[in-house]
């Protein structure tokens, strides 16, 4: 069976930074096919590559700082990815986009055949504060819908 | 001539962390390393929560080694409730820790140290010339991740490690599947030692206290007393009587020190220095073949210490997998109020957790000191001695050298995600 990965990234202890995790936690209750695997990838950095094994598709949900209104959702596909400055953070200088770039450079055979990033504009990243701000919280259902749409699941979640 | 060296952290958690060094006529006027110290805020975050929420929450402190915080909190809570765990639980926790060593050390050596020492801006740039080396790194990292997931029951953030045992024990067959992979990884780990031994190491030795857990019969990870090269020898419950923090006038970061003495270093180099004889035979042999002698007080050998520990982690993992029989165990226990303490060796160094819980199991006090908080004071001391020696170099070279001093410690600055960018400007 061709596997599809859904990976939520971020830190739930840093307020809006955890929005990717909140989205995948909601998806855990959605009616997904057996070939879909949901992963709470945390603050992944280069560790995101651990999860890839030539899957058919991967959908990554993460916070972005793209100077948009908080809660704005941006959809990117591989080949048309954003400038890394909007997802600049991450462990030891290895942001998500750099990690993906490294993966395609070194282990292209393990990378997903199709890659989608759902980026959600954050408002605040206060450390050690759980819970999203209301604008970002309000964007979660739409982000869930966009992921389900990518998974071609009819939305009844 | 006066010179200002400024380090900025581009922060996932905004507005935190910087290094400022002001130099005049070859002498440091001031040196401030301001690092985000997340666990200080944790008291407020954890107080009032039920004890069993704690391990899940603290696992989010660190993106690289979530299991270290998780298991350390569990051990401190067990200590508070007077719970003694089985040998199997100790072994599985040890294996979990080793899987995190494999991941964290691989990341540091290949993604941070190697580009620094081999003269590349980043691992992406290095991969163009060293593709098989980076492939090896990703393979080793993945093996550590898969082993964590096997024991922890889930990718990234383990869920099975619990108070008084594991809610689900991995299948023996599944664990044995890792043995072949670990045997194959052994060669990669030995190659890692050889690679790191090619790094040009600056001649820089500073007499400072090295601190690590130590126990007579095994290379200490989750057990033993806290010992040092200057005679410290204490149990976890004595920690606060011997290790304290103070505010320095020149810096906003709290500075950890040994009472009656000075700053100290925790991490792979102190561990190798203090527990060398308990490394696996092949790890000791690999270390001997480098020609570098231990104990060693040049912090630039930290990457080599990590590589030696990588060989040891692979060997120890195989040994534990061979030994474990694995059966489901009764993990029930009675909630009791009390105070508990735990010290472990996270990949980056000594980690301390302590809690007071009441009879209902509600957290009344929490005290967490991660490896980076232990090391900040020592990083500054290294820089005080190191900086005057690089002032004659080009800006670019001096910048890189200062960054490398900090990176020796692999600081987990909010662990979740800062990185170091150093600018030197003359004023």
């Amino acid at each position: 069976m061709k596997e599809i990965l859904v990976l939520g990234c971020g830190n739930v202890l840093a307020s809006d930074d955890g929005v990717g995790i909140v989205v995948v936690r909601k998806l855990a209750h959605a009616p997904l096919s057996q070939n879909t695997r949901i992963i709470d990838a945390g603050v992944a950095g280069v560790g995101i590559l651990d999860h890839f094994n030539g899957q058919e598709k991967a959908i990554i949900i993460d916070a972005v700082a793209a100077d948009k209104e908080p809660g704005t959702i941006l959809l990117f596909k591989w080949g048309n990815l954003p400038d890394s400055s909007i997802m600049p953070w991450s462990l030891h200088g290895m942001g998500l986009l750099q990690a993906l770039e490294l993966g395609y450079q070194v282990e292209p055979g393990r990378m997903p055949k199709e890659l989608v990033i759902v980026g959600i504009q954050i408002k605040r990243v206060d450390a050690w504060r759980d819970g999203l701000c209301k604008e970002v919280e309000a964007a979660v259902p739409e982000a869930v819908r966009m992921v389900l749409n990518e998974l071609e699941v009819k939305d009844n979640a | 001539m006066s010179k200002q060296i400024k380090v900025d952290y581009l922060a996932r958690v905004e507005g935190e962390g910087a290094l400022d060094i002001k130099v005049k006529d070859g002498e440091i006027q001031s040196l401030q390393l301001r690092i985000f110290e997340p666990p200080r805020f944790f008291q407020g975050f954890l107080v009032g929560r039920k004890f069993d929420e704690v391990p899940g929450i603290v696992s989010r402190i660190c993106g690289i080694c979530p299991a270290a915080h998780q298991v350390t909190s569990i051990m401190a809570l067990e200590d508070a409730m007077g719970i003694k765990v089985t040998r199997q639980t100790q072994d599985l926790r040890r294996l979990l820790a080793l899987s995190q060593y494999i991941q964290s050390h691989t990341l540091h050596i290949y993604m941070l140290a190697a580009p620094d020492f081999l003269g590349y801006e980043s691992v992406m740039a290095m991969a163009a010339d060293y593709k098989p080396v980076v492939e090896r790194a990703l393979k080793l990292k993945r093996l550590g991740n898969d082993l964590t997931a096997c024991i922890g029951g889930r990718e990234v953030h383990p869920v099975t490690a619990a108070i008084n045992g594991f809610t689900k024990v991995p299948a023996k067959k599944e664990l044995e599947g890792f043995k072949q992979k670990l045997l194959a990884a052994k060669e990669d780990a030995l190659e890692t030692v050889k690679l790191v031994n090619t790094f040009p190491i600056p001649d820089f030795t500073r007499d400072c206290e090295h601190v690590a857990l130590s126990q007579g019969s095994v290379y200490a990870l989750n057990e033993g007393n806290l010992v040092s090269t200057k005679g410290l020898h204490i149990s976890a419950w004595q920690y606060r009587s011997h290790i304290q923090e103070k505010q320095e006038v020149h810096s906003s970061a709290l500075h950890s020190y040994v009472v009656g003495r000075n700053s100290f270093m925790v991490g792979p180099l102190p561990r190798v220095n203090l527990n060398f004889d308990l490394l696996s035979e092949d790890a000791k042999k690999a270390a001997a073949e480098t020609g570098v002698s231990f104990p060693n007080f040049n912090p630039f050998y930290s990457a080599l210490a990590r590589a030696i520990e990588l060989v040891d982690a692979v060997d120890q993992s195989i040994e534990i997998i061979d030994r474990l029989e694995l059966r489901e165990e009764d993990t029930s226990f009675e909630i009791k109020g009390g105070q508990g303490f735990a010290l472990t060796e996270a990949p980056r160094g000594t980690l301390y957790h302590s809690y007071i819980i009441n009879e209902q199991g509600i957290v009344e006090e929490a005290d967490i000191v991660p490896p980076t908080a232990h090391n900040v004071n020592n990083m500054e001391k290294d820089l005080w001695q190191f900086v005057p020696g690089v002032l004659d170099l080009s800006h670019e070279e001096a910048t890189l050298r200062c960054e490398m001093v900090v990176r020796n410690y692999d600081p987990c600055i909010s662990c979740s995600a800062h990185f170091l960018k150093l600018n030197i400007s003359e004023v």
Side-chain angles (χ1 to χ4, degrees):
Chain A
M1 196 184 291
K2 290 176 175 174
E3 192 176 51
I4 299 179
L5 288 186
V6 180
L7 300 134
C9 299
N11 190 344
V12 286
L13 299 184
S15 191
D16 292 346
D17 187 48
V19 64
I21 309 293
V22 174
V23 169
V24 293
R25 285 179 180 171
K26 299 265 186 217
L27 282 162
H29 304 291
L32 303 175
S33 70
Q34 283 188 340
N35 67 337
T36 304
R37 195 150 64 95
I38 307 274
I39 296 175
D40 168 353
V43 183
V46 77
I48 195 91
L49 302 179
D50 293 339
H51 308 293
F52 298 139
N53 190 17
Q55 286 92 350
E56 200 62 20
K57 183 172 183 173
I59 303 165
I60 297 170
I61 306 109
D62 199 0
V64 296
D67 280 335
K68 305 282 183 193
E69 287 297 310
T72 305
I73 303 175
L74 305 166
L75 190 74
F76 304 103
K77 306 223 172 188
W78 188 251
N80 185 28
L81 287 182
D83 184 275
S84 64
S85 65
I86 79 158
M87 299 172 94
W89 325 291
S90 190
L91 198 64
H92 305 307
M94 183 67 81
L96 175 66
L97 297 175
Q98 288 97 331
L100 293 170
E101 188 192 317
L102 183 71
Y104 281 104
Q105 187 183 346
V106 179
E107 296 184 324
R110 294 190 72 95
M111 296 301 284
K113 294 183 180 65
E114 189 185 349
L115 183 71
V116 177
I117 297 177
V118 177
I120 301 154
Q121 171 69 46
I122 54 170
K123 184 176 179 183
R124 66 179 184 210
V125 276
D126 298 344
W128 321 126
R129 175 171 177 165
D130 55 356
L132 306 174
C133 76
K134 65 179 194 306
E135 294 92 332
V136 172
E137 178 83 56
V140 169
E142 178 58 17
V144 170
R145 265 192 294 279
M146 286 173 81
V147 175
L148 292 173
N149 188 43
E150 286 295 325
L151 292 169
E152 297 171 11
V153 174
K154 285 213 169 69
D155 176 24
N156 52 8
Chain B
M1 179 188 77
S2 72
K3 215 172 201 182
Q4 193 169 4
I5 300 173
K6 197 166 159 44
V7 179
D8 295 316
Y9 295 105
L10 180 51
R12 189 157 201 162
V13 177
E14 65 186 327
E16 303 287 347
L19 169 62
D20 288 301
I21 307 170
K22 284 182 186 157
V23 183
K24 195 175 180 186
D25 300 328
E27 284 192 23
I28 298 173
Q29 301 296 303
S30 70
L31 189 150
Q32 292 195 1
L33 183 58
R34 298 195 300 274
I35 306 195
F36 181 55
E37 291 171 273
R40 281 182 213 304
F41 299 87
F42 252 74
Q43 257 163 278
F45 208 82
L46 293 170
V47 168
R49 304 222 185 210
K50 189 104 187 295
F51 72 96
D52 54 4
E53 289 180 74
V54 171
I57 296 171
V58 298
S59 82
R60 302 279 168 176
I61 294 175
C62 178
I64 293 289
C65 16
H69 278 288
Q70 193 172 27
V71 169
T72 311
S73 71
I74 288 170
M75 288 170 56
L77 291 164
E78 286 169 344
D79 187 44
M81 292 190 269
I83 296 166
K84 301 273 179 237
V85 300
T86 63
R87 175 76 191 273
Q88 174 176 292
T89 294
Q90 289 172 353
D91 280 342
L92 282 171
R93 286 177 184 171
R94 197 171 167 81
L95 197 52
L96 198 52
L98 292 166
S99 72
Q100 304 264 283
Y101 272 52
I102 294 171
Q103 294 195 60
S104 179
H105 285 1
T106 302
L107 264 182
H108 181 89
I109 292 165
Y110 287 91
M111 307 287 155
L112 295 176
D116 272 352
F117 286 101
L118 298 175
Y120 293 90
E121 191 184 90
S122 68
V123 68
M124 269 86 77
M126 192 181 103
D129 296 336
Y130 284 86
K131 194 175 170 202
V133 170
V134 180
E135 276 173 340
R136 183 202 298 156
L138 296 178
K139 200 166 72 173
L140 274 168
K141 164 82 180 67
R142 188 176 296 115
L143 174 61
N145 175 75
D146 291 350
L147 190 54
T148 300
C150 174
I151 306 157
R154 194 175 74 163
E155 307 266 5
V156 190
H157 291 276
V159 287
T160 56
I163 290 168
N164 199 24
F166 280 74
T167 54
K168 189 174 180 301
V169 171
K172 175 82 179 161
K173 202 176 163 192
E174 201 184 340
L175 215 45
E176 275 174 345
F178 279 95
K179 192 174 165 183
Q180 287 310 316
K181 290 181 190 170
L182 286 160
L183 286 168
K186 176 74 175 286
E187 200 50 45
D188 289 338
L190 290 167
E191 285 301 316
T192 305
V193 176
K194 287 181 191 156
L195 172 76
V196 175
N197 200 36
T198 67
F199 294 170
I201 301 297
D203 181 14
F204 177 75
T205 294
R206 194 173 70 79
D207 177 29
C208 70
E209 187 160 0
H210 281 206
V211 173
L213 284 180
S214 187
Q215 204 245 25
S217 56
V218 292
Y219 195 78
L221 299 176
N222 296 331
E223 57 284 294
N225 289 313
L226 196 64
V227 306
S228 81
T229 50
K230 292 190 191 288
L232 186 75
H233 196 282
I234 57 168
S235 299
W237 66 271
Q238 297 171 297
Y239 174 88
R240 276 297 175 202
S241 303
H242 295 268
I243 309 286
Q244 292 183 4
E245 287 133 345
K246 61 184 171 190
Q247 190 80 52
E248 294 277 5
V249 180
H250 69 271
S251 172
S252 60
L254 281 174
H255 283 61
S256 210
Y257 64 99
V258 180
V259 173
R261 289 196 290 273
N262 210 324
S263 73
F264 59 95
M265 181 181 195
V266 300
L269 187 58
R271 285 193 297 257
V272 169
N273 282 341
L274 287 157
N275 297 317
F276 189 89
D277 289 345
L278 292 163
L279 287 163
S280 71
E281 290 307 315
D282 286 349
K284 278 188 273 194
K285 187 164 167 259
E289 283 169 3
T290 63
V292 177
S293 61
F294 294 94
N296 193 299
F297 292 87
N298 181 345
F300 288 98
Y301 279 117
S302 295
L304 182 61
R306 283 185 190 91
I308 292 164
E309 281 194 336
L310 190 58
V311 176
D312 179 71
V314 170
D315 283 340
Q316 282 198 59
S317 299
I318 293 168
E319 188 264 321
I320 293 172
I321 289 170
D322 278 344
R323 179 155 46 80
L324 272 173
E325 288 180 7
L326 288 168
R327 55 178 185 274
E328 295 294 337
E329 294 181 319
D330 179 12
T331 60
S332 61
F333 59 91
E334 202 179 313
I335 299 170
K336 279 198 285 196
Q339 184 170 19
F341 312 85
L343 282 165
T344 61
E345 285 294 334
R348 289 170 172 76
T350 311
L351 170 63
Y352 174 72
H353 279 233
S354 169
Y355 301 93
I356 295 176
I357 54 171
N358 65 22
E359 294 297 326
Q360 285 73 47
I362 304 297
V363 175
E364 293 188 337
E365 276 183 36
D367 188 7
I368 299 172
V369 187
T372 299
H374 284 137
N375 277 331
V376 171
N377 194 5
N378 216 56
M379 290 179 211
E380 281 196 0
K381 298 282 192 301
D382 280 2
L383 285 162
W384 274 93
Q385 185 176 318
F386 186 81
V387 167
V390 297
L391 290 174
D392 291 338
L393 299 175
S394 69
H395 270 200
E396 199 185 347
E397 188 62 22
T399 300
L400 174 66
R401 297 273 163 162
C402 289
E403 274 187 326
M404 286 166 71
V405 171
V406 176
R407 273 206 277 268
N408 284 329
Y409 291 82
D410 198 13
C412 43
I413 302 150
S414 126
C415 185
S416 319
H418 294 60
F419 74 88
L420 192 63
K421 192 171 180 195
L422 189 79
N423 302 304
I424 300 180
S425 56
E426 286 196 38
V427 291

